[in-house]
Structures are given as structure tokens and as C-alpha cells.
Amino acid sequence: MQRTLLIIKPDAVKKKVIGKIISMVEKEFAIRGICMKTLTPEEAKKFYKVHEGKDFYEGLVEFMSSSPSVGVLLEGENAIYRLREIVGATDPKKAKPGTIRSLFGTNIRFNAVHASDSPEAAKYEIPFYFPNWDA
Ligand code: CMP
């Protein structure tokens, strides 16, 4: 069994699609935790530190710490890969029809959700929302 982190980002929370997104992943995975919180700017900077220096980094940090997001801890066989298939490409315009980002994303920044992209990333990311769990 593998664990992964889904974040329902502030844009999707504002669009009131938390329930729709959770029902899409609930069919496929066991939900082990749900946590709504507003990341501090420091947490958002740390969370996205792999993107530090890129032109979108400051805007991304500001967006992710602007209002509440929802961390969803998911568990299942091959969960990291399978969740990324359901989430779709980073740019909602390039995401396959029916994926979460194609349905609920607005543009490449306001793309509705984040999903861990590797076991190492899941291990790093899960504690931002679930400090008592690891991957
Ligand atoms: P996410 O999967 O959370 O990982 C990094 C995030 O940076 C990504 O989703 C987008 O929200 C954002 N991002 C990636 N590329 C760009 C870009 N070119 N312009 C603005 N935001 C971006």
C-alpha cells in the first residue's frame, strides 16, 4: 500500500468543489485523513522549495497561502501514479477530459489540486497537513 497527498487548492475551495473532488478520489482510494488549513507563507515556501527561483514561485507561494486549502491523505496500491492520472496535466487546458484539473482548473497556476509526484515527495509533503503520518 502506498500513501499520497492530494491538496485541494484555494481556487477549488472558493469554487465550492471540495465535495466533487473528494467523491472522485473516494471511489479509487481509502481516505486516511482530511485537513483544512491556510498554509503560512513560510510553509508554502518550504512546500514548493523545488520550484524556488522559477518565475512563478513567488506568485505560487502567495496563492497557496492566501486562503484555506484541503489536504487529503490517500492510500491504495500504486496510489501516487494512479492519483496523478486522475488529476491530469499541470495545465488544465492540456489535461485529459474528465480529469480533476480539466474539470475544475482555471489556468496553470489556479489548477485546482496538487498531487505528490514520487514516494520521496509524498514523504516530504504529507506532514504539512498530517504531522502525525508519514508516507
Ligand atoms: P502543482 O502540481 O501544485 O506543482 C507546482 C505548481 O506550480 C503547479 O501545480 C502550478 O500551480 C504552478 N505552476 C507550474 N507551472 C507554472 C507556470 N508556468 N506558471 C504559473 N504557475 C505554475
Side-chain angles (χ1 to χ4, degrees):
M1 284 295 169
Q2 196 173 51
R3 287 193 196 126
T4 190
L5 180 71
L6 174 74
I7 301 175
I8 304 173
K9 295 185 179 183
D11 58 321
V13 173
K14 285 188 183 144
K15 282 188 185 175
K16 298 183 180 282
V17 292
I18 297 172
K20 285 182 179 160
I21 293 172
I22 288 182
S23 88
M24 286 174 76
V25 295
E26 192 175 25
K27 293 188 189 96
E28 303 290 333
F29 307 99
I31 295 178
R32 295 293 182 221
I34 298 180
C35 168
M36 182 179 243
K37 68 180 273 188
T38 304
L39 293 173
T40 65
E42 290 69 32
E43 285 175 316
K45 274 183 201 161
K46 262 178 86 177
F47 188 93
Y48 280 116
K49 73 173 186 194
V50 292
H51 297 297
E52 201 174 347
K54 295 183 184 162
D55 58 354
F56 60 82
Y57 178 70
E58 296 297 331
L60 175 63
V61 166
E62 197 183 318
F63 162 55
M64 289 301 292
S65 56
S66 63
S67 64
S69 56
V70 180
V72 186
L73 181 58
L74 298 170
E75 191 176 272
E77 289 295 337
N78 204 13
I80 294 171
Y81 175 82
R82 284 172 51 226
L83 178 62
R84 288 181 68 80
E85 289 288 296
I86 294 167
V87 159
T90 305
D91 184 349
K93 288 173 200 76
K94 294 183 183 153
K96 283 189 196 144
T99 58
I100 295 174
R101 283 175 173 153
S102 82
L103 290 168
F104 306 117
T106 302
N107 58 39
I108 198 162
R109 172 167 301 147
F110 305 128
N111 63 353
V113 290
H114 168 84
S116 305
D117 68 1
S118 66
E120 296 70 35
K123 203 174 178 57
Y124 180 75
E125 293 173 358
I126 287 169
F128 282 83
Y129 289 83
F130 304 98
N132 300 320
W133 289 76
D134 60 7

